[in-house]
Amino acid sequence: MTAAAPDRYDATSWRSPWPEWLPDFAFQALGIFLVLQIPPLLVTVLVWAERRVSAWMQDRLGPNRVGPFGLLQSVADLVKFIFKEDHVPGQAHGVLYTLAPALAMVPGLVAFSMLPFADRFMVSDLDSGLLLLLAISSLAVYGIQIGGWASNSKYALFGGVRASAQMISYELTLGLSAAAVVLLAGTLNLREIVRWQQDHAWTVAVFPAGTLAFVVFLTSAFAETNRLPFDLPEAESELAAGYHTEYASMKFALFFLGEYTAMVVMSGLMTTLFFGGWTLFGLERCFEGTLWQTVLQSGIWWAKTLFFLFVYIWVRWTLPRFRYDQLMRLGWKVFLPLSLGILLAAAGTRAWAFGG
Amino acid sequence: MTMGYRKVERPALGLAERLVFPAILKGMAITAAHLFEKKVTLQYPEEKHPLPEYYRGVPSLVKDEAGREKCVACSLCEFICPPRAITIVPEERPGGGREEKQPAVFDIDMLRCIFCGYCEEVCPEDAIYMSKEYEIVGRNREEMVFRKERLYEIGGVRPNPIRKWTNADDEAAAQHGHGQGG
């Protein structure tokens, strides 16, 4: 800048009255706010959707009384949860019993913060994103296991033991099928994985490695989140309500919240790893460089993620529960060799089709 | 006796069935189709099931087309009522004429009533009918004892084909008129 009077219309001479770090800080604060608020909000909608969709699939109407289309049903349920007695069973382990619901929910929220909603909008952009995400979401097993143990009830304990065995078994195949994507994209950074898909092709379209990896990942994700057809930890016909049998009031609601947050994370991960994240056949390039692009990309990402959440509900009301030995056989004898094969195929695809 | 047995031929699973996923997709197609099916839910307080003609709901008292009580407090329904839900206290009917009695008190204890319909069967005056009302609620036991007013409210008006009271009234009026005139 010279000493001459600056052109008053010169944009470069304009100085913001705010400190330089503020926009970034504000953006991050917004991100943190969203990450903490979206999952609980989404869960209330999901619980409503679960009940409505299940009803529709059984030719019923479902909750349609509270609010428009019954949308406030979950809010009413939440109010009920808050006013219920917070009962702790007599022989329960006081500290762990209270800690378990929080342990079940927090990993979901933390993992949610690592998902890339748009090219320039993700709350924590980490180079080891996928690795950390899988590591943290696998911590959820502690909440379930500890909750089952601390309740001092045989049903809850069985539920917890089942949950830990099942989640550890399927974590293997979940990780291996995600590793196939990592091999293809050549990075652990979730944003880079999506960019690779933007440049090449959606991973699910990379036949056979990507397609099979998606099938394995989808199935393992169902087992990871303890959803039907793999909801053995809370198999109500055998174990009362499984690991949360002894829980009441908001503690029970937190377990619920944890389960559904895990669903949101897994659906977001499926979108990001296999279905091109925020990309949609070039539509994501509209409004290049503006805030609208970020809004559009987030919209695309959420549309895909909501579809996978619908698939969760859809599958739940279609399939009966697996037997425990079937679950273990599928995990160890079918999916483990299969996912190792997929890994090989992915390495081969990377070497020959995408040039090393 | 020897047990008969039948060998069940189990069809071998094809490749699609052993892969499980095609079968799962087929199932999901079925549930997806049901999403758009016509729903069978009856939205209760607004919609109600059609009741058959013979439905036995709350027993109720009816009036004739002129708004007169048909019940003559003969107490037959009180006697026949198996759970003894009915309480009748008769009183003299004012106004003279041939009609003699009317119920001063007519209570049906809905906590006791078994909806057998014997009261309707036995009533010589067609004064008590089983209505189609089935939403019976009360905040306490006292409210569950339906008083005469409430029973008439439920029963409403049912014109009497025999027109017994009308004839009797005419007769009484004629007699009365004759006596006065004479």
Side-chain angles (χ1 to χ4, degrees), chain A residues 227-290:
Chain A
R227 288 282 297 186
L228 259 153
F230 305 120
D231 72 333
L232 287 124
E234 45 177 297
E236 68 272 5
S237 48
E238 305 154 32
L239 299 179
Y243 58 89
H244 53 52
T245 305
E246 304 293 336
Y247 279 89
S249 181
M250 272 314 279
K251 288 195 186 111
F252 173 75
L254 281 184
F255 270 122
F256 228 68
L257 203 63
E259 182 188 324
Y260 279 89
T261 313
M263 273 167 64
V264 175
V265 170
M266 282 300 163
S267 303
L269 212 51
M270 278 185 250
T271 304
T272 309
L273 292 182
F274 296 99
F275 279 80
W278 64 77
T279 68
L280 191 70
F281 311 117
L283 185 67
E284 75 278 4
R285 292 187 209 275
C286 296
F287 314 114
E288 187 77 54
T290 61

Side-chain angles (χ1 to χ4, degrees), chain A residues 13-23:
Chain A
S13 70
W14 183 82
R15 279 185 62 85
S16 160
W18 308 108
E20 232 168 68
W21 48 266
L22 192 72

Side-chain angles (χ1 to χ4, degrees), chain A residues 56 59-61 65 314 318, chain B residues 28 31 34 40-41 43 46:
Chain A
W56 288 336
D59 294 345
R60 297 181 290 114
L61 282 174
R65 295 281 157 159
W314 189 3
T318 302
Chain B
M28 286 171 78
T31 40
H34 273 275
V40 296
T41 306
Q43 304 220 46
E46 292 89 30

